[in-house]
Amino acid sequence: MLFNASVKAALSTAAAMSALLIPAAGSASAASSASGETVGAVADSFDAMCRSHSRTYVLKKYYRGPQFFTLRCGTSTWGWKHIKARHGWNSTMDRKINAAIWSGDPNGRGGYSTYLNQCPRVEKFRTIIGTPAGTNDLLTAYKVDQPAVAGAAAC
């Protein structure tokens, strides 16, 4: 009987804790996962968020260890509005930005890039960091298909 009481107490505590951690349906705020991905209604429409907020509004944070880089609504020359208009925006673009910032190599342009694993190294995707709104803001991100300058001499 003592075992059953312990199990019931543990289950009751777990249920109460999860109720505290899970936002209620229709919640106005979106939660963020540990990887920086936004979960909830906000992720459904960056466009709607930018229509009702200023260019400096933070849509998302991308992490590189403890450091983070923000994606702001921006303008036609930087941020989310620029990326959407010039390079397209979808979940694949979002994943590529996340991968480049999280595990890519510094690219000498104030951002991070991912590369094909070959010699010479071929840059696949580039991010550039630094905007008029902040030094840790995403300026742009786009697909690249050219050999890396430093990698060509090492082959």
Side-chain angles (χ1 to χ4, degrees):
M1 284 300 203
L2 183 60
F3 176 75
N4 280 346
S6 297
V7 170
K8 286 180 184 178
L11 289 174
S12 176
T13 301
M17 291 302 292
S18 60
L20 292 172
L21 296 174
I22 299 171
S27 173
S29 64
S32 291
S33 70
S35 66
E37 293 179 1
T38 306
V39 182
V42 174
D44 294 339
S45 181
F46 284 173
D47 201 26
M49 295 302 291
C50 289
R51 276 195 304 269
S52 61
H53 291 87
S54 76
R55 65 189 178 115
T56 59
Y57 183 78
V58 175
L59 291 169
K60 185 167 183 175
K61 293 179 181 177
Y62 295 97
Y63 290 87
R64 185 173 180 92
Q67 187 176 17
F68 65 87
F69 300 90
T70 54
L71 175 62
R72 296 182 187 269
C73 286
T75 68
S76 62
T77 59
W78 61 271
W80 181 78
K81 287 181 180 178
H82 166 77
I83 294 169
K84 179 185 175 201
R86 294 283 310 272
H87 311 292
W89 183 266
N90 56 32
S91 60
T92 301
M93 175 63 89
D94 185 39
R95 282 192 307 273
K96 287 180 178 183
I97 292 170
N98 191 56
I101 290 174
W102 177 254
S103 61
D105 293 336
N107 59 25
R109 306 259 337 253
Y112 301 95
S113 295
T114 55
Y115 298 85
L116 292 174
N117 190 18
Q118 66 183 43
C119 194
R121 288 178 76 190
V122 175
E123 186 176 13
K124 294 187 319 183
F125 191 81
R126 178 183 298 163
T127 63
I128 299 176
I129 307 294
T131 72
T135 57
N136 280 352
D137 292 344
L138 187 61
L139 176 76
T140 191
Y142 51 92
K143 183 179 183 277
V144 179
D145 206 9
Q146 61 189 8
V149 175
C155 295

